[in-house]
Amino acid sequence: QVQMVQSGAEVKKPGASVKVSCKTSGYTFTNYRIHWVRQAPGQGLEWMGWINPNSGGTSYAQKFQGRVTMTRDTSIGTAYMEVSSLRSDETALYYCARDLGWGKFDYWGQGSLVTVSS
Amino acid sequence: QSAPTQPRSVSESPGQSVTISCTGTSSDVGGYNYVSWYQQHPGKAPKLMIYEVTKRPSGVPDRFSGSKSDNTASLTISGLQAEDEADYYCCSYTGNNWVFGGGTKVTVL
């Protein structure tokens, strides 16, 4: 069965960086894009970007350009997302999601809570 | 890229129908037939309910249906049940990227 297991909670100071992982299993990792979506406490979903695990190609939402980097390790079926220069208002649950194609996000990770606080 | 607009909340009695709108622009909702809908219960990850405007994944009850007219996509829940109480988000393709709507809280009275 398809599983997407994310790394645990992190606490970071403003200005620091965080790297979140998303380990997949139960399907061929390189066949489907992975998207990253975040949700601040009590707020809505915000799309951040995607990575093509086959080619390593990426696309980021404009507001994250230059501060977000998505990578992958095909040998272990894991995708990563790093956010730099964190601000306190970026405390959020960060999700990874598999895209079957054209925005069909059928499997989601459990979310990784990133708390940004001084 | 601005988020498509959704009503903040809708409510209805069990057995009735509700329709949630997702209003964007010709650059997102109106420009492509790639609108999906997600249901999210408190403390849970989102769940895919509708994709490509009208298609329903296996396992999703046929009480859920999607449609689109011009720049507005809609999700209709017929025969509302208690377990349908949740937040619902639309998501639209924008040409290489994606954008979520602001979300709608559905309350079953």
Side-chain angles (χ1 to χ4, degrees):
Chain A
Q1 70 284 19
V2 174
Q3 288 191 313
M4 304 183 73
V5 179
Q6 297 185 226
S7 48
E10 302 248 22
V11 179
K12 297 292 182 181
K13 294 191 184 304
S17 298
V18 68
K19 190 172 186 177
V20 178
S21 66
C22 174
K23 182 167 178 57
T24 72
S25 59
Y27 74 98
T28 302
F29 178 65
T30 50
N31 281 1
Y32 305 105
R33 291 181 182 179
I34 287 180
H35 294 242
W36 289 88
V37 177
R38 74 179 183 183
Q39 186 170 37
Q43 302 301 308
L45 302 175
E46 181 175 28
W47 184 81
M48 300 181 70
W50 56 254
I51 182 168
N52 179 331
N54 186 42
S55 65
T58 56
S59 182
Y60 306 131
Q62 190 168 9
K63 71 176 287 185
F64 298 112
Q65 297 263 5
R67 265 198 328 123
V68 166
T69 304
M70 295 177 187
T71 57
R72 91 291 189 213
D73 184 337
T74 57
S75 68
I76 57 172
T78 300
Y80 303 91
M81 183 193 61
E82 184 170 21
V83 184
S84 62
S85 303
L86 285 163
R87 301 187 303 266
S88 55
D89 64 354
E90 294 190 292
T91 291
L93 200 53
Y94 288 77
Y95 290 103
C96 60
R98 185 180 80 160
D99 182 6
L100 274 190
W102 298 110
K104 190 178 176 183
F105 305 154
D106 65 337
Y107 282 93
W108 294 65
Q110 82 278 20
S112 297
L113 179 62
V114 177
T115 301
V116 185
S117 174
S118 55
Chain B
Q1 183 74 46
S2 298
T5 301
Q6 296 183 231
R8 299 219 35 188
S9 65
V10 296
S11 57
E12 191 50 89
S13 301
Q16 301 303 304
S17 295
V18 294
T19 296
I20 303 166
S21 59
C22 169
T23 301
T25 68
S26 58
S27 296
D28 43 59
V29 176
Y32 310 93
N33 286 323
Y34 297 119
V35 176
S36 48
W37 289 90
Y38 297 87
Q39 175 192 67
Q40 187 180 36
H41 287 111
K44 300 292 188 181
K47 175 186 176 183
L48 178 67
M49 305 302 285
I50 296 287
Y51 65 99
E52 293 177 20
V53 178
T54 62
K55 299 177 181 178
R56 205 170 41 246
S58 61
V60 172
D62 60 7
R63 304 184 289 103
F64 292 85
S65 62
S67 62
K68 193 184 84 164
S69 177
D70 296 327
N71 295 338
T72 298
S74 299
L75 173 72
T76 297
I77 310 173
S78 306
L80 204 58
Q81 298 184 6
E83 61 261 35
D84 300 334
E85 184 162 297
D87 294 324
Y88 291 83
Y89 297 90
C90 63
C91 181
S92 175
Y93 185 59
T94 67
N96 200 46
N97 288 341
W98 300 84
V99 63
F100 282 96
T104 298
K105 181 173 181 58
V106 171
T107 300
V108 181
L109 299 172

Coordinates of all heavy atoms in Angstrom, one line a residue, chain A residues 5-7 19-23 34-38 46-51 59-60 64 68-71 78-82 94-98 105 108 111-112, chain B residues 100:
Chain A
V5 N 5.6 9.0 4.6 CA 5.9 9.2 6.0 C 6.8 10.4 6.1 O 7.9 10.3 5.6 CB 6.4 8.0 6.7 CG1 6.8 8.3 8.1 CG2 5.4 6.8 6.6
Q6 N 6.4 11.4 6.8 CA 7.2 12.6 7.0 C 8.1 12.6 8.2 O 7.8 11.9 9.2 CB 6.3 13.8 6.9 CG 5.6 14.0 5.6 CD 4.8 15.2 5.4 OE1 3.7 15.2 5.0 NE2 5.4 16.4 5.8
S7 N 9.1 13.5 8.2 CA 9.9 13.6 9.4 C 9.2 14.3 10.5 O 8.1 14.9 10.3 CB 11.2 14.4 9.0 OG 10.9 15.6 8.3
K19 N 14.8 21.5 7.0 CA 14.7 20.5 5.9 C 13.7 19.4 6.4 O 14.0 18.8 7.4 CB 16.0 20.0 5.5 CG 16.0 19.2 4.3 CD 17.5 18.8 3.8 CE 17.5 18.1 2.5 NZ 18.9 17.9 2.1
V20 N 12.7 19.3 5.6 CA 11.6 18.3 5.9 C 11.7 17.1 4.9 O 11.9 17.4 3.7 CB 10.2 18.9 5.9 CG1 9.1 17.9 6.2 CG2 10.1 20.1 6.9
S21 N 11.6 15.9 5.4 CA 11.6 14.8 4.5 C 10.3 14.1 4.3 O 9.4 14.2 5.2 CB 12.7 13.7 4.9 OG 12.3 13.2 6.2
C22 N 10.1 13.4 3.2 CA 8.9 12.7 2.9 C 9.3 11.3 2.3 O 9.7 11.2 1.1 CB 8.1 13.5 1.9 SG 6.6 12.7 1.2
K23 N 9.2 10.2 3.1 CA 9.7 8.9 2.7 C 8.5 8.2 2.1 O 7.5 8.0 2.8 CB 10.3 8.1 3.8 CG 10.9 6.8 3.3 CD 11.8 6.1 4.3 CE 12.2 4.8 3.9 NZ 12.9 4.8 2.6
I34 N 5.8 15.0 -6.7 CA 5.5 15.2 -5.3 C 5.3 16.7 -5.1 O 6.2 17.5 -5.5 CB 6.5 14.6 -4.3 CG1 6.3 13.1 -4.3 CG2 6.3 15.2 -2.9 CD1 7.3 12.4 -3.4
H35 N 4.2 17.1 -4.5 CA 4.0 18.5 -4.2 C 4.1 18.7 -2.7 O 3.9 17.8 -1.9 CB 2.5 18.9 -4.6 CG 2.3 18.8 -6.0 ND1 1.9 20.0 -6.8 CD2 2.3 17.8 -6.9 CE1 1.8 19.6 -8.0 NE2 2.0 18.3 -8.2
W36 N 4.4 20.0 -2.3 CA 4.5 20.4 -0.9 C 3.5 21.5 -0.7 O 3.3 22.5 -1.5 CB 5.9 20.9 -0.6 CG 6.9 19.8 -0.5 CD1 7.6 19.3 -1.6 CD2 7.3 19.0 0.6 NE1 8.4 18.3 -1.2 CE2 8.2 18.0 0.2 CE3 6.9 18.9 1.9 CZ2 8.8 17.1 1.0 CZ3 7.5 18.0 2.8 CH2 8.4 17.1 2.3
V37 N 2.7 21.3 0.4 CA 1.6 22.2 0.8 C 1.8 22.5 2.3 O 2.1 21.6 3.0 CB 0.3 21.5 0.5 CG1 -0.9 22.4 1.0 CG2 0.1 21.2 -1.0
R38 N 1.5 23.8 2.6 CA 1.6 24.1 4.1 C 0.3 24.7 4.6 O -0.5 25.2 3.8 CB 2.8 25.0 4.4 CG 2.6 26.5 4.0 CD 3.8 27.3 4.4 NE 3.6 28.7 4.1 CZ 4.5 29.7 4.2 NH1 5.7 29.3 4.7 NH2 4.2 30.9 4.0
E46 N -1.8 26.1 1.5 CA -1.1 27.0 0.6 C -0.1 26.1 -0.2 O 0.8 25.4 0.4 CB -0.3 28.0 1.4 CG 0.5 29.0 0.6 CD 1.2 30.0 1.4 OE1 1.5 29.8 2.6 OE2 1.4 31.1 0.8
W47 N -0.2 26.1 -1.5 CA 0.6 25.4 -2.4 C 2.0 26.0 -2.4 O 2.1 27.2 -2.7 CB 0.0 25.3 -3.8 CG 0.8 24.4 -4.7 CD1 0.7 23.1 -4.8 CD2 1.7 24.9 -5.7 NE1 1.6 22.6 -5.8 CE2 2.2 23.7 -6.3 CE3 2.2 26.1 -6.0 CZ2 3.2 23.8 -7.4 CZ3 3.2 26.2 -7.1 CH2 3.6 25.0 -7.7
M48 N 3.1 25.2 -2.3 CA 4.4 25.7 -2.3 C 5.2 25.3 -3.5 O 6.0 26.2 -4.0 CB 5.2 25.2 -1.1 CG 4.5 25.5 0.3 SD 5.5 24.9 1.7 CE 6.9 26.0 1.6
G49 N 5.0 24.1 -4.1 CA 5.8 23.8 -5.3 C 5.7 22.3 -5.5 O 5.1 21.5 -4.7
W50 N 6.4 21.8 -6.6 CA 6.5 20.4 -6.8 C 7.9 20.0 -7.3 O 8.7 20.9 -7.7 CB 5.5 20.0 -7.9 CG 5.4 20.7 -9.2 CD1 4.5 21.6 -9.7 CD2 6.4 20.5 -10.3 NE1 4.8 22.0 -11.0 CE2 5.9 21.3 -11.4 CE3 7.5 19.7 -10.5 CZ2 6.6 21.4 -12.6 CZ3 8.1 19.7 -11.7 CH2 7.7 20.6 -12.8
I51 N 8.2 18.7 -7.2 CA 9.4 18.2 -7.7 C 9.0 16.9 -8.5 O 8.1 16.2 -8.2 CB 10.4 17.8 -6.6 CG1 11.7 17.2 -7.2 CG2 9.8 16.8 -5.6 CD1 12.9 17.1 -6.3
S59 N 9.3 23.2 -9.6 CA 8.6 24.5 -9.9 C 8.1 25.0 -8.5 O 7.5 24.2 -7.8 CB 7.5 24.3 -10.9 OG 6.9 25.6 -11.1
Y60 N 8.3 26.3 -8.2 CA 7.9 26.8 -7.0 C 6.9 28.0 -7.1 O 7.0 28.7 -8.1 CB 9.2 27.4 -6.2 CG 10.3 26.4 -6.1 CD1 11.6 26.7 -6.4 CD2 10.1 25.1 -5.6 CE1 12.7 25.9 -6.3 CE2 11.1 24.2 -5.4 CZ 12.4 24.6 -5.8 OH 13.4 23.7 -5.6
F64 N 7.8 31.8 -2.9 CA 8.9 31.0 -2.3 C 10.1 30.9 -3.1 O 11.1 30.3 -2.7 CB 8.3 29.6 -2.0 CG 7.2 29.6 -1.1 CD1 5.9 29.2 -1.5 CD2 7.4 29.9 0.3 CE1 4.8 29.2 -0.6 CE2 6.3 29.9 1.1 CZ 5.0 29.5 0.7
V68 N 13.0 28.4 -1.1 CA 12.6 27.0 -1.0 C 13.4 26.2 -2.0 O 13.5 26.6 -3.1 CB 11.1 26.9 -1.2 CG1 10.7 25.4 -1.4 CG2 10.3 27.4 0.0
T69 N 13.9 25.0 -1.5 CA 14.6 24.1 -2.4 C 14.0 22.7 -2.2 O 13.9 22.2 -1.1 CB 16.1 24.1 -2.1 OG1 16.6 25.4 -2.2 CG2 16.8 23.2 -3.1
M70 N 13.5 22.1 -3.3 CA 13.0 20.7 -3.2 C 14.0 19.8 -3.9 O 14.4 20.1 -5.1 CB 11.6 20.7 -3.9 CG 10.6 21.5 -3.1 SD 9.0 21.5 -3.9 CE 8.2 22.7 -2.9
T71 N 14.3 18.7 -3.3 CA 15.3 17.7 -3.8 C 14.7 16.3 -3.6 O 13.6 16.2 -2.9 CB 16.6 17.9 -3.1 OG1 16.5 17.7 -1.7 CG2 17.3 19.2 -3.4
T78 N 12.8 9.1 -1.3 CA 12.5 10.2 -0.4 C 12.6 11.5 -1.0 O 13.6 11.8 -1.8 CB 13.4 10.1 0.8 OG1 13.2 8.8 1.5 CG2 13.1 11.2 1.8
A79 N 11.6 12.4 -0.8 CA 11.7 13.8 -1.2 C 11.9 14.7 0.0 O 11.6 14.4 1.1 CB 10.3 14.2 -1.9
Y80 N 12.6 15.8 -0.3 CA 13.0 16.8 0.7 C 12.5 18.2 0.3 O 12.5 18.5 -0.9 CB 14.5 16.8 0.9 CG 15.1 15.4 1.3 CD1 15.6 14.6 0.3 CD2 15.2 15.0 2.6 CE1 16.1 13.4 0.6 CE2 15.7 13.8 2.9 CZ 16.2 13.0 1.9 OH 16.7 11.8 2.2
M81 N 12.2 19.0 1.3 CA 11.9 20.4 1.1 C 12.7 21.2 2.2 O 12.5 20.9 3.4 CB 10.5 20.7 1.2 CG 10.2 22.2 0.8 SD 8.6 22.7 1.2 CE 8.5 22.4 2.9
E82 N 13.5 22.1 1.7 CA 14.2 23.0 2.6 C 13.7 24.4 2.5 O 13.6 24.9 1.3 CB 15.7 22.9 2.4 CG 16.5 23.8 3.3 CD 18.0 23.5 3.2 OE1 18.5 23.0 2.1 OE2 18.8 23.8 4.2
Y94 N 3.6 21.3 7.4 CA 4.1 21.1 6.1 C 3.8 19.7 5.6 O 4.2 18.7 6.2 CB 5.6 21.4 6.0 CG 5.9 22.9 6.1 CD1 5.9 23.5 7.4 CD2 6.2 23.7 5.1 CE1 6.1 24.8 7.6 CE2 6.4 25.1 5.2 CZ 6.4 25.6 6.5 OH 6.6 27.0 6.7
Y95 N 3.0 19.6 4.5 CA 2.6 18.3 3.9 C 3.3 18.0 2.6 O 3.5 19.0 1.8 CB 1.1 18.3 3.6 CG 0.1 18.3 4.8 CD1 -0.5 19.5 5.1 CD2 -0.2 17.2 5.5 CE1 -1.5 19.5 6.2 CE2 -1.1 17.2 6.5 CZ -1.7 18.3 6.9 OH -2.6 18.3 7.9
C96 N 3.6 16.7 2.4 CA 3.9 16.3 1.0 C 2.7 15.5 0.5 O 1.9 15.0 1.2 CB 5.1 15.4 1.0 SG 5.1 13.9 2.0
A97 N 2.5 15.5 -0.8 CA 1.4 14.8 -1.5 C 1.8 14.3 -2.8 O 2.6 15.0 -3.6 CB 0.2 15.8 -1.6
R98 N 1.4 13.1 -3.1 CA 1.7 12.5 -4.4 C 0.7 13.0 -5.5 O -0.5 13.1 -5.2 CB 1.6 11.0 -4.3 CG 2.0 10.3 -5.6 CD 1.9 8.8 -5.5 NE 0.5 8.3 -5.7 CZ 0.2 7.0 -6.0 NH1 1.2 6.1 -6.2 NH2 -1.0 6.6 -6.1
F105 N -4.0 14.9 -6.2 CA -3.2 14.6 -5.0 C -3.9 13.5 -4.2 O -4.7 13.8 -3.4 CB -3.0 15.9 -4.2 CG -2.5 17.1 -4.9 CD1 -2.7 18.3 -4.5 CD2 -1.7 16.9 -6.1 CE1 -2.2 19.5 -5.2 CE2 -1.2 18.0 -6.7 CZ -1.5 19.3 -6.3
W108 N -1.3 11.7 0.9 CA -0.7 12.8 1.6 C 0.1 12.2 2.8 O -0.2 11.2 3.4 CB -1.7 13.7 2.2 CG -2.5 14.5 1.1 CD1 -3.3 14.0 0.2 CD2 -2.5 15.9 0.9 NE1 -3.9 15.0 -0.6 CE2 -3.4 16.2 -0.1 CE3 -1.8 17.0 1.5 CZ2 -3.6 17.5 -0.6 CZ3 -2.1 18.3 1.1 CH2 -2.9 18.5 0.0
G111 N 2.1 15.2 7.7 CA 2.4 16.5 8.0 C 3.6 16.6 9.0 O 3.7 15.8 9.8
S112 N 4.4 17.6 8.8 CA 5.5 17.9 9.7 C 5.4 19.3 10.2 O 5.3 20.3 9.5 CB 6.9 17.8 8.9 OG 7.1 16.5 8.4
Chain B
F100 N -4.5 27.0 -4.1 CA -5.7 26.5 -3.4 C -6.6 27.7 -3.1 O -6.2 28.9 -2.9 CB -5.3 25.9 -2.0 CG -4.7 24.5 -2.1 CD1 -3.4 24.3 -2.2 CD2 -5.6 23.4 -2.1 CE1 -2.9 23.0 -2.3 CE2 -5.1 22.1 -2.1 CZ -3.7 21.9 -2.2

